[in-house]
Structures are given as C-alpha cells and as structure tokens.
Amino acid sequence: MDNLHMLLFPEVQVTVVDVSTSQKETESLQDFAFVSRKEILSCYFESLKQDPTPLPDDRSKAVALMGKALEQFLKNAQENHVLAGVIGLGGSGGTSLMSSAFRPLPLGVPKIIVSTVASGKTDSYVGTTDLVLFPSVVDICGINSVSRTILSNAGAAFAGMVFGRLERLRNSCSNNEKFTVGMTMFGVTTPCVNAVRERLVKEGYETLVFHATGIGGKAMEDLVKEGFIQVFLPLSGKHNVTPTPITKTMEDKEGSKMHKVIEKDAQEIGKVDKNSWKTYRRRNRQ
C-alpha cells in the first residue's frame, strides 16, 4: 500500500527561489526551503570572481541581471545533481527572466512557467527547448477561483513530470552504442527520408527528423551541441555544407550558422539537394 501511495501521489521536495527585483526583499518562508535573492546574486558574482553589487534601479537591467544570476544558480544545481526540475510564474518580465535561465538546462529536465504571455508570440521565451509555458488565464495577482485551478493543475503537471523523469533515470539501463542520426527534410524529399529512416531503424539506429524551415534546423543544431545527435544527414539541400565532419559553415535560410558544433564530432555523411531530388522524381515518372 505504501508503494502504491508513492506511485499515485509522488512527493516532490520544493525549494523556493527569490528572483524578485523589487525594493522589498524576502528573507525566508515558512514550511519551505528558501534561497534568498542575495544568495542568488552572490552565486553569480562568485562565478565572475567579483564582489556583489546591488540590483540596478532600472527594471529592465535588474531583470537581465537576475536572469543571469538564476541561470548560474541552476547551472550549479544541475552540475551538483540536485536539480529535479524548475517551475515559476510571472508576467512578461518574470517570464523573460525565468525563461532565459531555464532554456540552458538539458533536454528532459522539467521546465514550466505559468505565464500571462503564454498564448502570444512565445518563440523568444521557448526557443528550441522543451520549456512549457502554462497560460495563467488571469493575471498573477492573488488567489481566486480561476488562479487556484490553474496553479493547482500546473503544480500537478510539474510533479508528474519530475516523478516520471526520476523513474526513467532509475530504470534506465540503455547500453545502446549505436549513433543517433539527425536528418533534415523538405516535403519533396519525404519519400527519400522515409526510405533512409526505415533502413536505419532496421539496423538499430535511432533517427531524428527535422523540417528544414522554421525552428527545425535550430533545434537540430542545439541537439548536436548537447550530444544527442552524432551523425547528420542533410536531405533537404537547405544547408550549405561540405561532406566532412559538421562545419562552422552550416547555414540556414535565416542566416544563422552552426558555430562550434564541430566540437561534438558530429559527422555529416552526405547531402541531397531538393532540386536534384525533384529532377530525380520527375525523370522516374517519365
């Protein structure tokens, strides 16, 4: 019965972190482990080997500084293996502050922000990460019948994500030494991608497919940097690369470059130009 209770009602130890930028500073909270704003800033300035300085009076500068400080704090927690996940709530300023600190965390670490701007243009907050924005519906201003429901759901979702991740880590026993292959795709190259993917899957390789427009290319770049992808197969013709290990010249339509990806030793194994694929399909029809 105890094991069933733990499975159905996972307990999540919570630490509250103060990242406020107002004049009033909270020193402690009852019933919760608490990290003060002063501790967060001290952690950041220690990493820079500088003496702590007060928050700027300018709110935008203060938000930017607290974002960097929180990022450093979470980085330390992740490296010390004491971070199970992160959740926060705020308006546009708080969402900007927290998202800048949450995004660098590895893929799979639960990241949730209950936000008043979750239903608008969110690419600047989410980027290519698995950060989840949870719409607050009403403004973050006290507890009422709506906010109580939203915050309860967000907390339950977060607890489930953390519990699920810890279970996966506990049960993980993967010894797969084969590469993960990343492939880019346009609509016209889909038959080619499907054929290659099916063959790779039969050989036991994992494949990740990305559309070559929008956020797809950037997401692939980040996964290469994080070590999730070891082999790259461009089947869209969009990237300007040579058939060598992934280079700094990889460039997509928007002009972003795949800097420093070569450090992960990801190997490019070929290239199919979309126009060549169109010609190939046309000739085969004839």
Side-chain angles (χ1 to χ4, degrees):
M1 182 64 70
D2 288 342
N3 291 336
L4 179 60
H5 183 273
M6 290 180 64
L7 180 63
L8 295 177
F9 305 101
E11 296 182 3
V12 180
Q13 183 177 352
V14 176
T15 298
V16 178
V17 179
D18 181 14
V19 293
S20 63
T21 58
S22 60
Q23 294 296 323
K24 184 180 179 181
E25 185 173 354
T26 304
E27 297 294 337
S28 64
L29 284 179
Q30 294 181 349
D31 302 325
F32 289 101
F34 181 74
V35 181
S36 68
R37 182 171 69 190
K38 186 181 299 183
E39 293 176 84
I40 300 295
L41 289 171
S42 295
C43 174
Y44 173 65
F45 285 111
E46 281 179 12
S47 70
L48 300 177
K49 295 180 170 51
Q50 296 178 4
D51 294 330
T53 60
L55 281 175
D57 293 330
D58 182 273
R59 184 172 183 271
S60 61
K61 293 181 180 179
V63 167
L65 176 57
M66 282 306 302
K68 293 178 181 177
L70 179 60
E71 179 182 348
Q72 183 62 46
F73 176 80
L74 295 178
K75 178 183 178 182
N76 292 351
Q78 175 67 20
E79 292 175 350
N80 292 330
H81 306 290
V82 296
L83 184 67
V86 288
I87 184 170
L89 68 158
S92 57
T95 302
S96 176
L97 187 160
M98 289 181 289
S99 63
S100 66
F102 290 6
R103 284 195 304 271
L105 292 172
L107 183 78
V109 175
K111 319 168 187 65
I112 291 181
I113 300 177
V114 182
S115 172
T116 60
V117 294
S119 60
K121 184 174 173 57
T122 61
D123 56 331
S124 61
Y125 304 121
V126 178
T128 61
T129 71
D130 58 346
L131 169 64
V132 176
L133 291 182
F134 211 98
S136 65
V137 182
V138 294
D139 207 346
I140 310 296
C141 185
I143 300 296
N144 52 57
S145 59
V146 174
S147 63
R148 181 179 292 107
T149 300
I150 297 297
L151 296 177
S152 295
N153 285 344
F158 180 66
M161 292 166 69
V162 170
F163 183 74
R165 179 170 182 263
L166 293 178
E167 281 294 296
R168 288 193 301 274
L169 292 175
R170 187 179 299 118
N171 298 327
S172 177
C173 57
S174 174
N175 294 314
N176 183 16
E177 296 180 355
K178 290 196 174 183
F179 292 131
T180 295
V181 182
M183 296 185 286
T184 55
M185 177 178 73
F186 269 128
V188 294
T189 65
T190 299
C192 176
V193 171
N194 286 339
V196 173
R197 186 181 61 81
E198 290 174 5
R199 177 61 184 271
L200 289 172
V201 170
K202 286 182 180 179
E203 296 293 331
Y205 293 95
E206 181 181 37
T207 58
L208 303 177
V209 180
F210 303 86
H211 200 280
T213 58
I215 204 70
K218 296 175 183 177
M220 184 198 65
E221 293 174 9
D222 286 347
L223 290 176
V224 171
K225 293 173 186 176
E226 291 186 30
F228 284 93
I229 296 174
Q230 293 79 44
V231 177
F232 168 61
L233 182 59
L235 296 176
S236 63
K238 181 169 181 162
H239 296 91
N240 178 25
V241 294
T242 55
T244 58
I246 282 185
T247 72
K248 298 176 184 177
T249 61
M250 181 172 288
E251 185 171 347
D252 65 17
K253 185 176 181 180
E254 289 74 29
S256 67
K257 295 186 178 181
M258 200 170 191
H259 293 297
K260 299 182 180 178
V261 172
I262 194 172
E263 295 174 4
K264 289 294 181 182
D265 295 325
Q267 180 74 32
E268 186 212 1
I269 58 175
K271 179 178 180 180
V272 175
D273 183 85
K274 69 171 184 176
N275 293 320
S276 299
W277 179 250
K278 285 180 180 178
T279 303
Y280 172 80
R281 292 181 67 192
R282 185 166 58 248
R283 288 175 178 173
N284 273 270
R285 289 196 202 101
Q286 294 173 352

